Amino acid sequence: MKRSQVNEIIREGAAFIRSFGYVLPPFADLTPDEMRARAPELKGLIDARLGWDVTDYAGGDFDAKGLFLFTVRNGNQDDLKSGQGMLYAEKIMISRRDQISPMHRHVVKAEDIINRGGGTLAIQIFASEPDGSIDRDSPVTVATDGIDRQLAAGGVLNLAPGESVTLMPGVWHKFWGEGGDVLIGEVSTVNDDLTDNVFEEAIPRFSPIEEDEAPCRLLVSDYDQWLAS
């Protein structure tokens, strides 16, 4: 992706989020220079990979396959292993109309996916085979706002604004907006986008960036390069 495109997506995404009355934390407004100057103070934020995240999964067509994310809070993997401490994470995301977030599952993370407003959030769901691959035959049961619901393999769950689904580790899913762009909330166990995403396709989670202009905000995938001590 070009940095100019990423910058525009961030600006548009921030405005879309504000339109629903959701207020991002103050660190969302930090410029790259401010983050560099305050890097020691921001170590917890940087280590937890909080902040902006835009990906087209290296496909080159963000409108067709991509996702906008902002990680608001994120716990600690060591806490998760010990079973006590900060075991949770929160994201706010935007899925554009007909924009696919491709089929994937998580090894560790359980997550609630919440339609916070906009269009309908469509989620296609499969169970896993014992080896972790997609089970294309068996029905799958998920909880929607605490109520169990069974879908056929590959069934599509449609969430209206305010509705949510709980996806446990191993549940394969892809999603997109129908009828309009969708503001999505995610509340989950500790998030690790570096190792805990298993995609059906051989695609990367993060996109390489072509630096055609200066970044207006750093992406979480920029931290290692831009904020290295």
Side-chain angles (χ1 to χ4, degrees), residues 65-227:
K65 183 166 67 177
L67 191 61
F68 169 101
L69 314 91
F70 187 96
T71 302
V72 180
R73 66 197 84 251
N74 192 19
N76 184 282
Q77 292 290 335
D78 290 336
D79 285 351
L80 189 60
K81 292 173 184 175
S82 70
Q84 59 184 4
M86 190 174 179
L87 311 180
Y88 55 89
E90 178 191 358
K91 292 181 180 180
I92 193 77
M93 307 184 291
I94 299 169
S95 186
R96 295 186 175 186
R97 180 175 182 171
D98 299 327
Q99 180 190 48
I100 298 294
S101 182
M103 188 67 69
H104 65 287
R105 64 175 172 86
H106 304 293
V107 178
V108 175
K109 184 172 75 171
E111 56 189 344
D112 278 10
I113 303 296
I114 310 141
N115 185 335
R116 294 292 191 196
T120 298
L121 180 61
I123 309 176
Q124 185 181 33
I125 299 174
F126 290 94
S128 285
E129 295 280 11
D131 65 359
S133 61
I134 296 176
D135 183 341
R136 301 191 181 276
D137 299 310
S138 301
V140 58
T141 299
V142 294
T144 56
D145 298 311
I147 300 171
D148 283 348
R149 180 171 173 181
Q150 188 178 85
L151 289 85
V156 176
L157 181 67
N158 291 307
L159 299 179
E163 293 183 323
S164 70
V165 62
T166 300
L167 301 177
M168 300 304 290
V171 175
W172 287 91
H173 54 287
K174 75 175 181 181
F175 55 87
W176 60 93
E178 286 193 349
D181 298 347
V182 184
L183 186 67
I184 305 169
E186 178 184 301
V187 178
S188 73
T189 47
V190 176
N191 180 76
D192 180 2
D193 280 322
L194 295 173
T195 65
D196 197 36
N197 295 286
V198 180
F199 290 99
E200 178 186 15
E201 307 171 74
I203 55 175
R205 167 62 179 78
F206 299 102
S207 301
I209 304 297
E210 179 185 338
E211 303 292 352
D212 64 329
E213 69 179 36
C216 66
R217 299 290 184 269
L218 293 184
L219 303 175
V220 295
S221 54
D222 291 324
Y223 291 170
D224 288 346
Q225 176 183 351
W226 289 73
L227 302 177

Side-chain angles (χ1 to χ4, degrees), residues 10-72:
I10 288 174
R11 287 189 284 266
E12 291 175 351
F16 187 73
I17 290 169
R18 286 194 302 271
S19 75
F20 290 92
Y22 188 103
V23 181
L24 291 170
F27 68 81
D29 294 328
L30 293 174
T31 67
D33 287 344
E34 289 170 331
M35 292 196 73
R36 279 176 171 154
R38 297 175 58 186
E41 173 192 353
L42 301 176
K43 184 177 186 305
L45 179 159
I46 294 165
D47 289 348
R49 297 175 71 83
L50 307 185
W52 302 97
D53 186 357
V54 175
T55 183
D56 67 356
Y57 305 95
D61 188 350
F62 178 77
D63 289 336
K65 183 166 67 177
L67 191 61
F68 169 101
L69 314 91
F70 187 96
T71 302
V72 180

